[in-house]
């Protein structure tokens, strides 16, 4: 009886050790009920901010994150047209105030169509770079009345009213979208330089 108990105890200990080893082991395959090897499709999800139906994550750059947003297709098209994809994909860091499609819809259609023409590339670039500030500024860095010098050269003014933050009067609707090369703020207006 003592021998039988010892055998059972050793068997349980062996199974427990095997289970413990297997639970810490990473495997690229799993087995389904028919004992066929299946690829492991478990994915870890990176924390981020949802914008336009897509998760904006710190491992992607500003452009890569913007490409996933259904709310920023006009901005992405304008960035491509202006030839700024490579710049905004660079090391930065940048702070970008990103107008939504609804914000661009407030711009007269004829004006927007003209800006998207190759002959207007310089003007489009001035407008887009007016939305970009050197450095990675999080919302905790912003102060009421603060002025920020843009890549375009002119200044933007940050204000707050009734708990809402604005840049040049456009509402900041989503703050602190962190990318590998900076920070993005979603805004409800297109900022126009003087």
């Amino acid at each position: 009886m003592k021998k039988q108990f010892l055998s059972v105890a050793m068997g349980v200990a062996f199974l427990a050790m095997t289970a413990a080893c297997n639970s810490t082991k990473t495997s690229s395959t799993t087995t389904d009920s028919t004992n066929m090897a299946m690829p492991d499709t478990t994915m870890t999800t990176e924390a981020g901010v949802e914008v336009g139906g897509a998760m904006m994550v710190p491992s992607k750059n500003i452009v890569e994150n913007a490409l996933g947003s259904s709310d920023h297709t006009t901005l992405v098209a304008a960035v491509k047209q202006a030839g700024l994809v490579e710049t905004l994909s660079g090391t930065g860091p940048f702070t970008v105030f990103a107008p939504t499609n609804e914000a661009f819809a407030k711009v007269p259609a004829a004006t927007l169509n003209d800006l998207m023409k190759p002959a207007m590339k310089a003007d489009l670039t001035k407008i887009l770079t007016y939305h970009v500030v050197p450095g990675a500024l999080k919302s905790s860095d912003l102060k009421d009345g603060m002025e920020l010098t843009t890549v375009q050269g002119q200044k933007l003014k940050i204000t707050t009213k009734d708990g809402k933050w604005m840049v040049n009067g456009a509402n900041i609707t989503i703050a602190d979208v962190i990318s590998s090369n900076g920070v993005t703020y979603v805004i409800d207006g297109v900022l126009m330089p003087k």
Side-chain angles (χ1 to χ4, degrees), residues 132-150:
V132 181
V133 174
L137 300 171
K138 294 183 182 176
S139 59
S140 59
D141 299 320
L142 302 180
K143 307 289 181 235
D144 187 28
M146 178 182 223
E147 289 190 342
L148 305 172
T149 303
T150 67

Side-chain angles (χ1 to χ4, degrees), residues 170-188:
N171 292 306
I172 296 173
T173 59
I174 301 174
D176 295 333
V177 180
I178 308 299
S179 297
S180 63
N181 62 342
V183 181
T184 301
Y185 292 84
V186 177
I187 59 174
D188 69 355

Side-chain angles (χ1 to χ4, degrees), residues 7 16 20-21 30 60 63 81 93 96 109 117 129 136 144 154 162 182:
S7 293
C21 288
T30 58
K60 293 182 180 178
V63 174
Q81 181 63 30
V96 176
K117 293 178 180 174
T129 56
D144 187 28
Q154 293 182 27
D162 300 326

